[in-house]
């Protein structure tokens, strides 16, 4: 039977988890088996309303359900935020190239996240933790605007107990006494963390401005451009490298990315615009 | 390649014999503007075969302005008569975009497979034509099923594909072997039209547009001059034969989806949720269009996604002429 690459399959919205005042996690059960590689994205749609790209935040090892953590930012996400659970959504994908987990074998991994950028990184982190023996140190530096804006608040205490996983957190601002970790931009954490550059790769995801300054900081610290992995999210629409919207120089983020090394994009004018 | 001669009358009779079995489109001349029209018994004798290209790009026959992309693809057997070499070169880009990697677009592919392309040499040009500056010829050498070259009393007919052979073989009585002298005359004609297009652009001094656009990408001239008269009407993108961008949208039938041509010159083209917009000025958008055609697709496919057809120049309300823009940028190259 003919199946259009532009057609979604149905997915039941099982649960909506409130993360912050403008971020929610949507737990979905697709009607057919739906596998993905961590870092790949999906196109999620509210039938008759609209479609937008998101990277799942759950582990690809968990195949019965998919979590997608979404910030309210535009009309599709606003409509998603109005859902309570029980509705039927559309999903298609997965698309693009995800995180190069195989290439990280025996390496130390420095994860740098900002805001809702923690969503794809949660999927990545869970993937690493699933096979922790393959990697060296796993370090997570995560920055939020305020303590309220931290996503997965309920997971951080658990993660902090995991042996071999080091976690550092920062908030941009906070009233005195409400935060016992670093206050400052996430780049402050990169000043504090000590890594062996010869065997460490960094994986960065967050708002464009955060990615820009994190990349600059990592380069300053001594990371090579090919050891900095970036999730270059854009307004991917077709997901198939055809509609043109997500072009970044000669790359189509939806099929050549969304994960790129800085080496791949460093010559493109204003890659973090 | 099989080569025949056909008289003009026999060629028109040949077309008449096709219109009942195929969807046949040809060019009708409206005071010098050639427009694609569906042919029937009544109008098939008044088509223009040669001259120059239509203002309408042929991509619309494979990639319509608006279509549903969730239903099973269907395509009627179609014949296009009068495509020019710039049109065929456009298809190199749209084929590269829509066919293959990572999956083929089933709608484009189905129409492409069901369309017979009959092209012709140009024997005239528009003031906006500059194919020779893009190292292309004003006559086709590949990419067609059948090509026609005008000659005394008719056309030299080149048959390039099995499909074309079959089409001709059941109507063989219209065609005859070409006299060698006519083939020699064709070469002269081709040299003549090539010279005419070159002379039309004799003032242009640029070569290597890929280098020019890359090296001047950060110049202020894009804001101050090149894009300053753009009125964001998108006309240049809609007449461009290599523009493939589209936007998907939902329909009232909740599980179907439609796509519509989109334009990178629209302010909202690259905007993301939350309001961020990497292409938030006319200059950024115009240089993205130039870079798309002259830098990025060249890097991807090894050929330019601009064939020098000049349609974008002809429709521009702000009188932006890509040939002149490149000439201006070339001057700046040293200063950047």
């Amino acid at each position: 039977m003919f199946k259009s690459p532009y057609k979604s399959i149905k997915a039941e919205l099982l649960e909506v988890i409130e993360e912050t005042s403008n971020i929610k996690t949507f737990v979905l059960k697709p009607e057919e088996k739906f596998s993905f590689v961590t870092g790949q994205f999906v196109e999620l749609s509210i039938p008759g309303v609209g479609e937008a790209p998101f990277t799942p935040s759950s582990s690809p090892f968990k195949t019965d359900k998919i979590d997608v953590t979404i910030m309210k930012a535009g009309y599709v996400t606003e409509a998603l935020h109005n859902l309570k659970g029980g509705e039927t959504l559309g999903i298609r994908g997965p698309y693009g190239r995800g995180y190069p987990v195989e290439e990280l074998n025996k390496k130390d991994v420095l994860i740098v996240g900002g805001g809702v950028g923690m969503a794809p990184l949660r999927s990545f982190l869970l993937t690493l933790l699933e096979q922790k023996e393959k990697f060296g140190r796993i370090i997570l530096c995560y920055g939020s605007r305020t303590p309220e804006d931290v996503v997965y608040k309920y997971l951080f205490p658990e993660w902090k107990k995991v042996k071999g996983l080091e976690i550092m957190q920062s908030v941009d601002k906070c009233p005195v006494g409400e935060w016992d970790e670093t206050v400052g931009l996430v780049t402050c954490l990169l000043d504090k963390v000590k890594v062996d550059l010869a065997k460490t790769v960094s994986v960065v995801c967050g708002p464009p401005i955060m990615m820009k300054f994190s990349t600059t900081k990592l380069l300053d610290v001594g990371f090579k451009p090919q050891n900095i992995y970036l999730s270059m999210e854009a307004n991917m629409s077709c997901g198939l490298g055809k509609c043109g919207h997500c072009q970044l120089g000669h790359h189509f983020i939806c099929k050549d990315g969304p994960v790129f090394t800085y080496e791949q994009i460093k010559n493109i004018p204003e890659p973090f615009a | 390649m099989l080569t025949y001669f056909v008289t003009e009358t026999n060629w028109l009779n040949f077309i008449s014999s096709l219109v009942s079995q195929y969807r046949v489109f040809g060019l009708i001349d409206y005071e010098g503007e050639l427009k694609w029209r569906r042919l029937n018994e009544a109008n098939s004798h008044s088509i223009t075969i040669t001259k120059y290209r239509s203002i309408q790009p042929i991509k619309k026959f494979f990639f319509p302005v608006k279509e549903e992309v969730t239903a099973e693809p269907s395509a009627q057997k179609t014949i296009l008569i009068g495509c020019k070499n710039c049109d065929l070169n456009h298809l190199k880009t749209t084929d590269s975009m829509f066919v293959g990697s990572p999956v083929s677009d089933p709608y484009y592919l189905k129409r492409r497979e069901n369309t017979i392309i009959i092209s012709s040499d140009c024997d005239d040009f528009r003031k906006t034509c500059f194919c020779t500056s893009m190292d292309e010829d004003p006559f086709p050498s590949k990419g067609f099923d059948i090509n026609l070259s005008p000659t005394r009393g008719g056309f030299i007919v080149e048959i390039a594909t099995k499909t074309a052979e079959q089409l001709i073989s059941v109507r063989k009585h219209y065609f005859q072997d070409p006299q060698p002298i006519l083939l020699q005359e064709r070469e002269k004609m081709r040299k003549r039209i090539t010279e005419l297009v070159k002379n039309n652009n004799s003032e242009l001094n640029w070569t290597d547009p890929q280098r020019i656009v890359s090296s001047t990408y950060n110049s202020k001239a894009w804001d101050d001059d090149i894009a300053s008269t753009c009125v964001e009407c998108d006309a240049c993108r809609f007449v461009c034969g290599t523009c493939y961008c589209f936007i998907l949208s939902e329909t009232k039938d909740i599980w179907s989806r439609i796509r519509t041509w989109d334009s990178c010159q629209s302010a909202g083209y690259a905007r993301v949720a939350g309001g961020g917009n990497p292409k938030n000025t006319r200059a950024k958008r115009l240089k993205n269009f130039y870079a798309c055609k002259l830098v990025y697709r060249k890097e991807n496919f090894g050929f330019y996604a601009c064939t020098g057809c000049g349609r974008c120049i002809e429709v521009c309300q702000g009188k932006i002429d890509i040939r002149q823009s490149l000439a201006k940028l070339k001057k700046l190259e040293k200063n950047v």
Side-chain angles (χ1 to χ4, degrees):
Chain A
M1 207 185 95
F2 173 76
K3 172 85 169 66
S4 165
Y6 302 100
K7 197 169 175 74
S8 306
I9 60 163
K10 292 175 184 171
E12 193 190 345
L13 178 59
L14 297 178
E15 192 187 352
V16 181
I17 302 163
E18 201 158 316
E19 303 285 354
T20 74
S21 61
N22 66 348
I23 298 173
K24 290 179 178 177
T25 295
F26 299 79
V27 184
L28 299 162
K29 189 175 173 56
E31 65 177 349
E32 295 166 19
K33 188 173 175 340
F34 196 99
S35 332
F36 64 93
V37 170
T38 184
Q40 282 188 306
F41 71 97
V42 301
E43 287 285 345
L44 200 60
S45 54
I46 306 184
V49 176
E51 189 180 51
F54 304 101
T55 299
S57 51
S58 52
S59 163
F61 290 97
K62 190 179 87 173
T63 53
D64 56 330
K65 290 183 275 185
I66 294 176
D67 297 350
V68 188
T69 302
I70 297 170
M71 183 167 81
K72 187 158 75 176
Y75 78 95
V76 175
T77 54
E78 183 162 349
L80 282 164
H81 271 245
N82 289 334
L83 304 177
K84 302 286 173 232
E87 295 88 348
T88 302
L89 301 181
I91 188 168
R92 59 187 180 91
Y95 297 118
R97 295 184 192 174
Y99 294 112
V101 177
E102 292 305 316
E103 288 172 33
L104 305 180
N105 215 353
K106 297 198 173 72
K107 299 259 172 75
D108 291 351
V109 186
L110 171 62
I111 304 170
V112 187
V116 77
M118 192 60 223
L121 294 176
R122 182 179 85 157
S123 171
F124 176 62
L125 178 64
L126 293 171
T127 307
L128 299 188
L129 294 180
E130 192 77 33
Q131 43 196 331
K132 204 153 55 76
E133 66 290 348
K134 286 189 183 173
F135 313 100
R137 291 167 70 195
I138 302 171
I139 311 153
L140 170 63
C141 294
Y142 175 52
S144 317
R145 268 185 311 180
T146 70
E148 199 281 321
D149 293 311
V150 175
V151 292
Y152 315 128
K153 294 181 188 74
Y154 45 93
L155 290 176
F156 276 91
E158 268 178 51
W159 285 343
K160 283 178 180 170
K161 287 181 211 154
V162 176
K163 211 175 157 205
L165 171 61
E166 303 160 49
I167 298 183
M168 298 166 80
Q169 281 182 268
S170 70
V171 293
D172 298 355
K173 56 186 177 193
C174 168
V176 178
E178 286 180 24
W179 183 253
D180 51 15
E181 294 199 47
T182 305
V183 177
L185 300 175
V186 70
T187 44
C188 301
L189 302 177
L190 301 178
D191 283 324
K192 293 183 182 178
V193 67
K194 295 281 170 277
V195 295
D196 178 356
L197 288 169
K199 60 171 198 167
T200 309
V201 294
S202 63
V203 174
V204 186
C205 186
I209 188 84
M210 171 268 175
M211 302 247 283
K212 180 178 175 174
F213 285 106
S214 299
T215 302
T216 308
K217 176 62 79 180
L218 290 166
L219 292 168
D220 283 350
V221 171
F223 276 87
K224 289 185 177 152
Q226 64 268 32
N227 288 336
I228 303 172
Y229 288 91
L230 303 157
S231 295
M232 301 302 292
E233 310 292 330
N235 59 350
M236 293 87 91
S237 175
C238 74
L240 304 166
K242 307 204 186 301
C243 80
H245 285 89
C246 66
Q247 292 180 72
L248 179 69
H250 69 279
H251 295 296
F252 291 79
I253 290 177
C254 73
K255 67 171 180 152
D256 303 329
V259 178
F260 291 93
T261 63
Y262 183 62
E263 178 67 28
Q264 288 174 289
I265 59 162
K266 66 179 183 186
N267 293 325
I268 293 169
E270 302 172 331
F272 301 109
Chain B
M1 213 178 289
L2 277 172
T3 307
Y4 297 104
F5 169 79
V6 66
T7 64
E8 191 157 357
T9 312
N10 271 344
W11 176 254
L12 295 175
N13 289 335
F14 169 72
I15 294 172
S16 288
S17 77
L18 300 173
V19 295
S20 58
Q21 291 171 44
Y22 295 87
R23 239 165 44 111
V24 184
F25 292 86
L27 298 171
I28 306 282
D29 192 336
Y30 294 88
E31 297 176 347
E33 283 292 344
L34 303 185
K35 292 183 179 165
W36 286 104
R37 290 290 180 263
R38 175 90 185 256
L39 302 185
N40 51 44
E41 290 287 347
N43 69 1
S44 66
H45 276 72
S46 49
I47 63 167
T48 297
I49 307 288
T50 56
K51 279 186 105 168
Y52 33 71
R53 47 94 187 141
S54 163
I55 189 70
Q56 300 164 318
I58 64 167
K59 69 177 178 186
K60 66 173 188 159
F61 293 108
F62 310 103
F63 169 43
V65 176
K66 187 175 183 181
E67 69 178 317
E68 191 192 327
V69 286
T70 33
E72 185 150 356
S74 66
Q76 289 173 272
K77 290 274 179 201
T78 301
I79 299 177
L80 305 180
I81 303 170
C83 303
K84 300 301 181 287
N85 196 33
C86 53
D87 295 320
L88 304 183
N89 285 329
H90 288 156
L91 294 180
K92 286 185 354 194
T93 297
T94 52
D95 284 354
S96 300
M97 286 304 302
F98 285 118
V99 184
S101 181
V103 293
S104 292
D105 182 277
Y107 306 95
Y108 178 91
L109 192 59
K110 185 93 175 178
R111 291 197 189 88
R112 197 76 171 84
E113 287 168 348
N114 282 280
T115 303
I116 296 172
I117 292 183
I118 303 180
S119 57
S120 83
D121 293 11
C122 291
D123 58 3
D124 197 355
F125 65 96
R126 311 271 301 180
K127 283 283 174 206
T128 50
C129 289
F130 65 107
C131 61
T132 51
S133 307
M134 298 304 298
D135 295 327
E136 304 286 359
D137 297 315
F139 52 86
S141 48
K142 56 184 175 210
F144 53 82
D145 292 286
I146 297 173
N147 185 61
L148 302 177
S149 306
T151 184
R152 273 181 295 160
F155 303 100
I156 291 170
V157 185
E158 279 181 299
I159 312 293
T161 60
K162 283 265 175 269
T163 314
E165 261 178 54
Q166 283 161 7
L167 194 72
I168 299 276
S169 67
V170 289
R171 298 168 183 83
K172 204 62 172 288
H173 54 286
Y174 293 121
F175 301 88
Q176 57 200 77
D177 288 332
Q179 293 174 336
I181 183 80
L182 293 180
L183 293 173
Q184 287 166 23
E185 282 178 20
R186 175 177 71 173
E187 294 319 302
K188 277 187 198 159
M189 284 278 290
R190 287 181 162 183
K191 276 196 181 121
R192 188 185 140 269
I193 186 65
T194 305
E195 282 312 306
L196 285 173
V197 178
K198 280 186 177 165
N199 290 339
N200 183 45
N201 296 292
S202 58
E203 287 172 16
L204 299 182
N205 59 351
W206 50 257
T207 53
D208 200 352
Q210 181 178 20
R211 193 203 62 228
I212 295 173
V213 174
S214 306
S215 66
T216 58
Y217 201 85
N218 296 319
S219 166
K220 267 174 62 65
W222 292 96
D223 295 88
D224 299 343
D225 181 7
I226 311 291
S228 64
T229 56
C230 171
V231 296
E232 303 178 63
C233 68
D234 295 332
C236 59
R237 303 303 80 230
F238 295 144
V239 294
C240 178
T242 65
C243 273
Y244 47 77
C245 285
F246 60 83
I247 190 160
L248 290 172
S249 46
E250 311 295 299
T251 65
K252 284 191 177 153
D253 166 16
I254 59 171
W255 292 103
S256 67
R257 192 159 279 142
I258 53 166
R259 73 162 154 217
T260 319
W261 286 2
D262 200 1
S263 160
C264 61
Q265 300 308 291
S266 294
Y269 174 83
R271 189 165 54 217
V272 295
N277 189 351
K279 299 184 179 82
N280 58 354
T281 65
R282 285 177 302 168
K284 282 183 188 169
R285 293 193 284 277
L286 193 75
K287 67 183 175 184
N288 175 69
F289 140 38
Y290 282 27
C292 174
K293 305 296 175 192
L294 302 171
V295 182
Y296 305 145
R297 298 297 81 79
K298 182 92 158 80
E299 288 176 27
N300 292 144
F301 308 134
F303 51 83
Y304 290 117
C306 173
T307 69
C309 74
R311 287 176 172 93
C312 59
I313 306 168
E314 210 162 303
V315 297
C316 184
Q317 303 299 302
K319 296 193 166 36
I320 300 174
D321 183 330
I322 189 167
R323 297 171 296 186
Q324 302 306 332
S325 300
L326 288 168
K328 289 176 190 173
L329 292 167
K330 183 182 184 323
K331 278 189 196 162
L332 294 170
E333 266 195 294
K334 288 182 221 87
N335 307 330
V336 174

